[in-house]
Amino acid sequence: MTVPDAPGRPVLRSGTWFDGSGKAGSVVRTHMLQAGFAPEDLAGKPVVGILSTWSEATPCNAGLRDLAERVARGVLAEGGIPLEAPVMSLGEPLMRPTTMLYRNLLSIEVEEVARANPFDALVLLGGCDKTVPGLLMGAASVDLPSVVVTTGPMLSGSVCGRPAGSGTDLWRVLEERRADRATDADVALVERGLSRSTGHCMTMGTASTMACLTEALGLQLPGGTAAVAVGADRSRLAAASGGLAVAMARDGGPRPSELLTREAFENALIVLAAIGGSTNAVLHLLALAGRCGVPLDLDDVDRLARDVPVLLDVAPSGSGLMADVEAAGGVPALLGRLLPLLHAGASTVSGATVGEIAAAASLHDQSVIRPLDRPVAAPGGLAVLRGSLAPGGAVIKVASASPALLQHTGPAWVFDQVEDYLAAAADPADDPPDDVVVVVRGAGPRGWPGMPEIGNLPIPVRLLERGVRDVVRVCDGRMSGTAYGTVVLHVAPESAAGGPLALVRNGDLVRLDVRGRRLDLLVDEAELEVRRRATPAAPVSTERGWTGLHRRHVLQADRGADLDFLVGASGSEVPRAPF
Ligand code: FES
């Protein structure tokens, strides 16, 4: 057993591997020597597991191999042992059917890899949308001291000399192409100019949002979000995080359970509102809170967002890109703006409180990180709706919606499969009225499965011809954080779980009342009961493999779409074979 190197410091967990007697200890030691470590390395040096989601199939995470080396240097410099371990990579652009199907699988892998190996602390490397949530959830469940290093945003896009933002500018040109106001060559120019380096999408999509929230939650070093992926600052942040992990291993904390408190989640929700962040983050925060045993629900999301204006001028809610946020002072400067609303005493991995980080921050550009009294968008940029169509709740990104549609009643145009809607929307023979409410169901956590990002459904071509650029869309799926439009998402319960969304028929009136936080189906309860009886319950999945497991155990969107048997934490204790 490793002797503590200072009174009160915990015995290193790795020592129970390296100091074992008999066969078990010898096998461990000989293979650590095989890995190039010296016998003295195994005598009390903390082991830092570097869990990386690097993959060539995740182009935006391609820089993580280099960052892992920087982390390792930082670990060595502080007298630790770095052990890099790959974990599942979730590449948003390439993976099918949707990365969200695998977020929980990544979290299981992180939890089990961390528990099964002699790690005293973790550095978690991720960047693409679902990687950071999966890493956080796994770390929370194994509860080893952990620090996150995100990939950082890629270089800003550039199309014909003009700045262009990930996702957002591509969606725009594709809509213009559908309306015959752009050419294939225009689309090709955007495709080529949008993704110019490694790093995550540099608009306020899910990746940027989750990086901001990780910093707000206290699990990433101050300034760790916005430093560009290919910059020297990020290399230094990675090395510093490696060194920090060694100190955390020696001190035995802080552990995720000490940082991810109710106050930290409230801070994160306030930051989510202030950055005009992705709706996907709501799912991820709810799921993460579930792992931590912190009570958090959709009402908290709505309550905290109501008073927080959008302060960050970044697309799609604003006009800038993440490089502008870095130049303006990054998340620490934003925390400074928000300090009157935040729990200033919340702890972070850095050792400083949120209040101390905010106080030390420098703000360089008031037009990018706005003051509370001169925001980009009014408070309530994110709203939670309830009503007869969404008894479990639904979310809408008000900041990216059309103001004129936030109070709207219109006839439903209903589709059980998104493919059918896409065909109808592209068919000039289908001519819905201008006030149509598009309803697409079967896209929830269980139904599709994995809640694909289909919510930003294209506007029907006949409406585009008439100059209509936005309609109310309602679905039980998700939407890319870089998308925009009046889209009601995450309707719970989903249709495949027997939610009222399954009962809507063409022509039914649907009322969206964002001011009143309602989403209602204007059909008599008696008629709905008739329809309910005529609608057979979806059979329990008998599929094999991961998809079957997911479908049988996934919770609804209002619980973060975690799996029911993953809620909570198991800690880092692991049995030893008795030999
Ligand atoms: Fe990975 Fe956008 S594609 S963050």
Side-chain angles (χ1 to χ4, degrees):
M1 187 71 72
T2 304
V3 177
D5 59 1
R9 278 193 175 150
V11 173
L12 288 174
R13 182 174 181 266
S14 56
T16 66
W17 270 261
F18 299 155
D19 299 345
S21 57
K23 196 168 143 191
S26 288
V27 167
V28 170
R29 285 188 293 274
T30 189
H31 287 290
M32 287 300 285
L33 299 180
Q34 177 190 30
F37 294 103
E40 54 270 29
D41 289 333
L42 309 183
K45 286 189 175 181
V47 179
V48 174
I50 304 170
L51 302 193
S52 172
T53 53
W54 176 89
S55 166
E56 283 187 332
T58 308
C60 60
N61 274 8
L64 289 182
R65 185 176 267 175
D66 183 51
L67 283 182
E69 282 183 27
R70 303 288 172 162
V71 172
R73 281 192 212 176
V75 172
L76 291 167
E78 292 300 319
I81 297 178
L83 290 182
E84 186 181 347
V87 288
M88 188 178 191
S89 193
L90 306 178
E92 209 61 32
L94 303 188
M95 285 187 87
R96 292 178 180 171
T98 165
T99 51
M100 187 61 183
L101 179 59
Y102 302 111
R103 180 202 64 180
N104 299 332
L105 185 55
L106 168 61
S107 79
I108 293 176
E109 191 182 4
V110 170
E111 178 181 348
E112 301 300 335
V113 166
R115 184 182 296 118
N117 284 290
F119 299 150
D120 299 303
L122 305 174
V123 180
L124 307 165
L125 299 182
C128 204
D129 294 14
K130 309 305 178 298
T131 54
V132 171
L135 290 166
L136 288 171
M137 290 161 68
S141 285
V142 74
D143 203 28
L144 283 169
S146 301
V147 55
V148 177
V149 178
T150 53
T151 58
M154 67 176 85
L155 292 174
S156 299
S158 176
V159 178
C160 300
R162 286 192 305 277
S166 305
T168 306
D169 278 282
L170 188 58
W171 315 145
R172 270 201 190 106
V173 76
L174 289 172
E175 279 293 287
E176 293 300 303
R177 179 72 193 93
R178 291 182 66 243
D180 261 341
R181 291 147 55 120
T183 64
D184 288 341
D186 294 327
V187 174
L189 273 176
V190 176
E191 287 175 359
R192 190 164 169 182
L194 214 49
S195 307
R196 299 169 55 227
S197 75
T198 64
H200 61 70
C201 292
M202 58 7 215
T203 43
M204 192 50 73
T206 305
S208 297
T209 300
M210 289 311 301
C212 288
L213 300 190
T214 303
E215 196 173 330
L217 286 165
L219 269 92
Q220 172 151 237
L221 280 176
T225 296
V228 68
V230 291
D233 277 348
R234 183 147 302 278
S235 298
R236 283 189 281 272
L237 279 161
S241 299
L244 174 64
V246 175
M248 291 164 71
R250 288 202 171 107
D251 293 342
R255 295 172 181 273
S257 57
E258 297 169 79
L259 299 175
L260 297 174
T261 59
R262 168 82 187 182
E263 288 73 25
F265 278 101
E266 291 195 357
N267 283 348
L269 285 172
I270 289 165
V271 168
L272 174 63
I275 63 179
S278 164
T279 45
N280 284 318
V282 174
L283 290 170
H284 302 322
L285 286 175
L286 292 173
L288 182 59
R291 297 296 181 98
C292 301
V294 170
L296 194 78
D297 61 27
L298 283 173
D299 292 333
D300 294 314
V301 176
D302 190 73
R303 179 177 56 80
L304 289 162
R306 269 181 195 258
D307 298 328
V308 184
V310 179
L311 300 186
L312 217 55
D313 187 12
V314 174
S317 299
S319 57
L321 299 171
M322 287 303 288
D324 303 308
V325 178
E326 182 187 20
V331 170
L334 177 69
L335 295 177
R337 288 292 203 204
L338 292 168
L339 196 51
L341 307 175
L342 296 172
H343 297 285
S347 305
T348 74
V349 280
S350 71
T353 63
V354 166
E356 289 165 346
I357 292 169
S362 302
L363 176 64
H364 307 298
D365 191 337
Q366 312 238 8
S367 69
V368 175
I369 304 177
R370 304 277 187 88
L372 284 164
D373 60 358
R374 202 165 50 79
V376 176
L382 188 67
V384 172
L385 311 170
R386 294 185 190 273
S388 61
L389 199 46
V395 301
I396 181 169
K397 191 169 178 178
V398 181
S400 298
S402 300
L405 290 174
L406 294 177
Q407 308 295 128
H408 178 85
T409 302
W413 195 24
V414 186
F415 296 84
D416 288 323
Q417 296 182 21
V418 65
E419 293 82 358
D420 294 341
Y421 173 72
L422 295 177
D427 187 348
D430 280 305
D431 191 8
D434 290 5
D435 62 347
V436 68
V437 174
V438 174
V439 174
V440 173
R441 57 196 174 198
R446 189 189 301 175
W448 208 61
M451 274 186 104
E453 286 188 338
I454 56 135
N456 184 34
L457 299 155
I459 306 298
V461 68
R462 290 302 290 267
L463 297 189
L464 284 177
E465 288 167 6
R466 293 204 291 276
V468 177
R469 288 290 178 269
D470 195 8
V471 297
V472 173
R473 288 154 275 178
V474 176
C475 83
D476 43 14
R478 298 178 297 118
M479 175 173 91
S480 163
T482 60
Y484 52 90
T486 310
V487 189
V488 179
L489 302 153
H490 309 181
V491 172
E494 63 178 301
S495 62
L501 205 60
L503 308 180
V504 189
R505 292 186 181 167
N506 282 333
D508 287 349
L509 288 179
V510 173
R511 183 170 61 208
L512 172 64
D513 170 15
V514 174
R515 202 179 307 125
R517 298 297 196 264
R518 300 281 307 177
L519 180 70
D520 288 297
L521 178 60
L522 304 184
V523 174
D524 283 352
E525 181 49 39
E527 166 62 17
L528 289 179
E529 187 52 36
V530 171
R531 294 184 193 178
R532 209 171 276 126
R533 282 204 219 100
T535 306
V540 176
S541 167
T542 55
E543 288 167 280
R544 69 168 294 282
W546 174 251
T547 303
L549 195 65
H550 173 94
R551 276 200 213 260
R552 290 190 290 275
H553 291 280
V554 72
L555 298 167
Q556 288 297 288
D558 58 330
R559 301 276 311 274
D562 201 0
L563 302 192
D564 53 12
F565 61 85
L566 290 176
V567 173
S570 300
S572 60
E573 286 296 313
V574 62
R576 272 184 270 178
F579 62 83

